[in-house]
Amino acid sequence: MNQTSLLARPSADVSPKLPASRDEAIHPPAPDSRGFIFWLDEPQSWRTKSRWLRLSGWCLHVSGKRVTSIRVKIGGRQFTAASEISRPDVVDYFGRSQEDLRCGFSLDVRTPRGSGLLTIEAQPSGSPWTKVLVTTVRGPFFATGERRRRKERDLAATIQRYRWWYDRPADWQKPTSVLYVSGWFIDTTGKPIRGIRARIGRKFFRANVGLRRDDLSAAYPELRSSRHSGFAIAIPLPPRASKIFLQYQGADGSWRDFDSQRVERGDRPAEVPPPGQMSFFTAPSASNSRFSSWVHVPNVIERRLRLAGWCFAHEGPPVEAVRARTGRRITRGEFGIVRRDVALAHNNCAGSLHSGFLIRASIPRGRRRLVLEAKSTDGGWEAFFETTVRRPVFRRGGPPLSSEEEIYAHWIDRYERLTRSDKRAIEKHVSALSRRPRFSILLPAYESDARWLKRSIESVRQQFYSDWELCIVDDASTKQAGWKMVQRFARTDGRIKTLRREARGGIASASNDALSLATGEFVALLDHDDTIARPALYWAAVELERNSALQLIYTDEDKIDEHDRRHSPYFKPEWNPDLFLAQNYVSHLTFLRTDLVRRVGGFRSSFDGSQDYDLFLRCTAQIDSDKIARIPRVLYHWRALPHSTAASTSAKRYAHVAAVRAVQEHLDTQHSKVSVEPREFGIYQRVRYPLPYEHPLVSIIIPSRDQSVLLEKCVASILQKSDYTNFEIIILDNESLEEQTRELYRRLRPERRIRIIEAAGEFNFSRLINLGASHARGSIFLLLNNDVEIMNPDCLSELVSQVSRPEVGVVGARLWYPNGTLQHAGVILGAGGVASHIDSIRRDDPGYFARQHLTQDFCAVTAACLTVRREVFEKLGGFDESRLPVTFNDVDFCLRARELGWRIVYTPYAELTHHESVSRGIENTTEKQRRFFSESEFLLKRWGPLIQNDPAYNPNLSLGEKRFELAFPPRVTSPWKKPALDQPSP
């Protein structure tokens, strides 16, 4: 026991007098004549300048009776507090039983003006009140600074009575858009906490409380409430710096501050919780005890509110639907989304696994009450969440966001619009650059509309980065207005160089003439009716500041109509060689090192219409992939006018013919016996790679457990449909029990190309694959689920031809659900928290710039159909069967292959039908879900940086429920907003 806290106080046996001096010797307390052992830790003085005086201490009785309450009388007022604070120091010192553990008390009393008599009484269990102390207190005549001192006293009392801890954030000072705060908060008296919230100004943000904390339960076993003492809250921060107050709601229902921090808004979350914990950072539900529910921090887009969360009934009829109600407006939501995290946290309570919902509600003008309601199977609607929402009465103008163009316009206004401070910061950053390369912008013109040509020129002249030259060549136009305007610009700005051809030579010839005028280190291409964003050259200069060895830089782009309305953004992946052969996704805006363009011979007239594609192909053939960079920012606006390629891909059919020829010639120069043919939607192309001269043996490895009908279809599709015949099938039977499966095996065993291997033990996909590989005789392994069926005869031929390329390590296929919906077209890292498939489109839907229909590079593909050469498999040591037995083992395998330099290719020309996870089932038990989250955590730990920024994707695109939608907010930090300039590379 801390002896310095045993400061004696006068008992009731003595006359009222001032307290003993603090200089008196400290001695252990002794019982008074009535058997009370009483002690005050505070106040240290009975003279106070505050209207309120805090009394805290402890009280015991020699009889062993527990003192349950303390009462203070002063100036005609009476204050009572329960003895409920744990004092293990007192119990240890006096050797009392644990029944006396809660002998501490703390209460505030209001002091009189001047001197007054204060009486403290104690009440043992089942006994009357008894005086234990009578003394005189002296209060102030004037209450100056009372409010401030009261807050200080409340905070001091909170520190004494309550304990709390923050698991996150690690750094309160780091700028962020959404502040994620989590930790625990307990009352040492054992009383539960009714609520936790954050306050910024007049805005309050409720936290989820009662989260399970087994670590606190072990640390405070005597406090029953410690097991559910966790809290989590997501706080959207306002612009600029602000002060945030953390408050708790005690048993009396009052809210009190317990901490405050200075915070500052930034561009992106500084510390995002793991995916498995994101659902806990939500707003609390309404007080309907029948439901358990959480609502994530909503995403507001103008008059639409996107609400995601979960809800299930832990008693009574289950939930079958959810809806949002604001006034008379009712919006039905999507319900039944799988929430493994919720099921795990609630021990697989009925309805918890499929408890997720998504609602896109319409918000009326003004302040309204938003109510979320759940419909039970008995047909009734019940509220489970309520809050107040407010939409401005007067909107800024324009139609509601009901189309992709309107949503994109809102996205631009929200994340791309430059403020005055942004512009000043860019100008300051430009002046701080250590390298200032000159950019020569090549602008060939022919019969240009003066309106659009003027806007093209002005977009260059308005650049933040001033070290540029604009090389304009007119290809013998008959219209004079455009050329006269160009001459006027050239006279007023010496950075504009002009040339007028005497005879028309075509766009390639005009571009070469513009190239002859260029003196810059880099050239960029600009069409005569397009525009570039004002910070375009600045972004390129910053990229070269980071890496001066770059040879080619390309950016995202969108289209712009005749009213300068932007639409159809193309957010591109990082360098993707196979995708580039299928489509010219690099396109606009592209910066090329000038000497590289001249070294490959510039533009070629024989490829007019796709002359830039042809140039890019020849340039990329001369440089390494690490000399190519992508800027994830829309910096080029492609004018979509009638009869232009931007408005209609059919406007210039000759351009696609030239593109096919350019790709064919590019591959011919690499001595590849490949063929290129026009394919998807008449504007893209397919590259066919040849099979090896001697067809290698393919070992098809199929793990299986029961589900004989599906397995039989899988094997039959291979035997009957495939035009590739040199294969063997290895079926790994994992403890099948059904007699139908045994009968199927008896029928399959006579087939010389089929072997069935018994694989006992619990389901471990990685172990089964490794076991199958150890029995395989082929030089190529094809991993197949037992619930897939080959659709096209050349499926195996396509997979073998692709995986036989020496630079390729793993090849994946396109998988369809039986209803014709896409199930897999590559894996996006970070989607859904860890990794998820590109899915959900129909066969005739082009999807996002036909990405789902084109051969391309990914970081990972699914093992439901995965092809790999034996040498690659053995070099990687197979699948990780100890740490990734069931999920994400294919992702980890692909990432390890990629780490060693092999490429991961997805081909849409090998197609299969997939009945997903029929044999294994879904993660619907606590054990399976714990394993799922353990594997997720391992993958995030091993590949965290790559998962956060998938090079096959784009940080401006969402990682949510649907791929290739706009991200709110994007995961891009503007270079002028970074705390310090990146160090330039040597």
Side-chain angles (χ1 to χ4, degrees), residues 169 171-180 235-239 263-273 278 411 414-415 539 546 574 630-633 944-950 954-957 959 967-979 982:
D171 183 4
W172 290 88
Q173 308 302 320
K174 193 170 185 179
T176 177
S177 58
V178 178
L179 182 67
Y180 294 96
I235 311 167
L237 298 184
V263 294
E264 185 175 353
R265 182 178 174 86
D267 284 339
R268 62 173 62 184
E271 184 182 357
V272 179
M278 281 298 293
W411 188 89
R414 191 168 178 179
Y415 301 117
W539 277 85
R546 296 193 187 107
E574 293 183 16
R630 172 209 63 184
I631 297 176
R633 180 85 169 195
L946 188 59
I947 288 176
Q948 293 174 10
N949 187 20
D950 188 343
N954 189 291
N956 292 292
L957 296 174
L959 295 174
F968 285 85
R971 302 175 300 284
V972 181
T973 300
S974 301
W976 64 88
K977 294 182 179 180
K978 293 184 178 180
D982 293 335

Side-chain angles (χ1 to χ4, degrees), residues 801-823:
S801 65
Q802 290 284 356
V803 82
S804 298
R805 298 160 57 190
E807 71 274 15
V808 174
V810 178
V811 176
R814 179 159 61 171
L815 307 180
W816 299 91
Y817 286 117
N819 65 1
T821 303
L822 183 66
Q823 191 268 337

Side-chain angles (χ1 to χ4, degrees), residues 388-402:
T388 300
V389 294
R390 182 180 181 277
R391 180 177 148 229
V393 175
F394 301 100
R395 64 176 180 230
R396 297 178 182 176
L401 300 182
S402 57

Side-chain angles (χ1 to χ4, degrees), residues 583-705:
Q583 66 172 201
N584 179 18
Y585 80 91
V586 170
S587 192
H588 311 298
L589 175 66
T590 304
F591 299 88
L592 293 152
R593 199 170 285 273
T594 307
D595 59 357
L596 172 64
V597 176
R598 288 172 174 157
R599 189 167 68 247
V600 300
F603 300 88
R604 298 193 293 182
S605 297
S606 57
F607 293 93
D608 272 359
S610 288
Q611 72 288 337
D612 52 351
Y613 193 12
D614 168 62
L615 175 65
F616 299 158
L617 286 164
R618 286 181 285 123
C619 286
T620 54
Q622 300 294 319
I623 59 179
D624 296 329
S625 60
D626 60 352
K627 301 298 189 297
I628 303 173
R630 172 209 63 184
I631 297 176
R633 180 85 169 195
V634 174
L635 300 178
Y636 192 96
H637 311 304
W638 192 2
R639 184 78 61 181
L641 299 172
H643 310 298
S644 72
T645 308
S648 173
T649 54
S650 62
K652 297 180 180 179
R653 290 293 183 188
Y654 69 91
H656 186 224
V657 175
V660 173
R661 287 193 296 108
V663 176
Q664 184 68 68
E665 181 179 306
H666 166 73
L667 293 172
D668 289 344
T669 59
Q670 298 179 350
H671 309 289
S672 300
K673 294 181 179 180
V674 300
S675 61
V676 183
E677 58 189 46
R679 192 58 187 256
E680 309 306 322
F681 307 104
I683 54 175
Y684 304 120
Q685 48 273 352
R686 175 187 179 182
V687 178
R688 287 185 179 269
Y689 291 90
L691 287 167
Y693 180 75
E694 293 185 2
H695 292 187
L697 176 64
V698 178
S699 296
I700 304 175
I701 302 172
I702 308 176
S704 185
R705 174 183 291 178

Side-chain angles (χ1 to χ4, degrees), residues 118-150:
L118 180 142
T119 302
I120 301 179
E121 299 175 339
Q123 185 182 41
S125 179
S127 301
W129 290 100
T130 305
K131 294 180 181 179
V132 295
L133 176 66
V134 178
T135 188
T136 300
V137 297
R138 188 181 301 276
F141 283 99
F142 302 101
T144 57
E146 179 64 24
R147 184 176 181 181
R148 175 180 56 81
R149 286 193 294 270
R150 179 67 185 276

Side-chain angles (χ1 to χ4, degrees), residues 700-864:
I700 304 175
I701 302 172
I702 308 176
S704 185
R705 174 183 291 178
D706 293 320
Q707 300 296 335
S708 58
V709 174
L710 290 175
L711 178 60
E712 186 174 14
K713 289 182 178 180
C714 174
V715 174
S717 69
I718 300 171
L719 296 175
Q720 299 171 11
K721 290 185 179 180
S722 177
D723 62 4
Y724 190 94
T725 58
N726 191 21
F727 61 81
E728 63 172 355
I729 299 176
I730 301 172
I731 300 174
L732 300 152
D733 181 69
N734 185 215
E735 298 185 345
S736 293
L737 301 175
E738 298 175 356
E739 180 58 33
Q740 298 92 323
T741 305
R742 298 299 175 189
E743 175 61 28
L744 174 64
Y745 290 162
R746 283 192 288 270
R747 297 200 309 270
L748 292 178
R749 280 193 171 95
E751 169 63 50
R752 62 179 180 80
R753 292 179 293 182
I754 297 178
R755 284 184 287 158
I756 301 171
I757 298 172
E758 299 293 332
E762 65 179 9
F763 180 78
N764 184 320
F765 183 82
S766 297
R767 180 177 63 84
L768 294 175
I769 293 300
N770 293 340
L771 177 63
S774 68
H775 287 82
R777 295 191 290 259
S779 60
I780 293 177
F781 300 158
L782 171 57
L783 315 184
L784 281 186
N785 278 13
N786 67 344
D787 54 359
V788 301
E789 301 172 47
I790 288 178
M791 296 175 63
N792 53 314
D794 62 344
C795 177
L796 265 67
S797 298
E798 171 67 11
L799 293 171
V800 173
S801 65
Q802 290 284 356
V803 82
S804 298
R805 298 160 57 190
E807 71 274 15
V808 174
V810 178
V811 176
R814 179 159 61 171
L815 307 180
W816 299 91
Y817 286 117
N819 65 1
T821 303
L822 183 66
Q823 191 268 337
H824 170 270
V827 172
I828 298 297
L829 302 180
V834 181
S836 190
H837 300 171
I838 295 177
D839 55 11
S840 299
I841 69 167
R842 305 290 295 183
R843 180 176 292 276
D844 55 353
D845 185 349
Y848 189 77
F849 290 89
R851 286 283 303 269
Q852 296 91 330
H853 300 281
L854 302 176
T855 302
Q856 59 196 282
D857 297 79
F858 279 99
C859 287
V861 292
T862 179

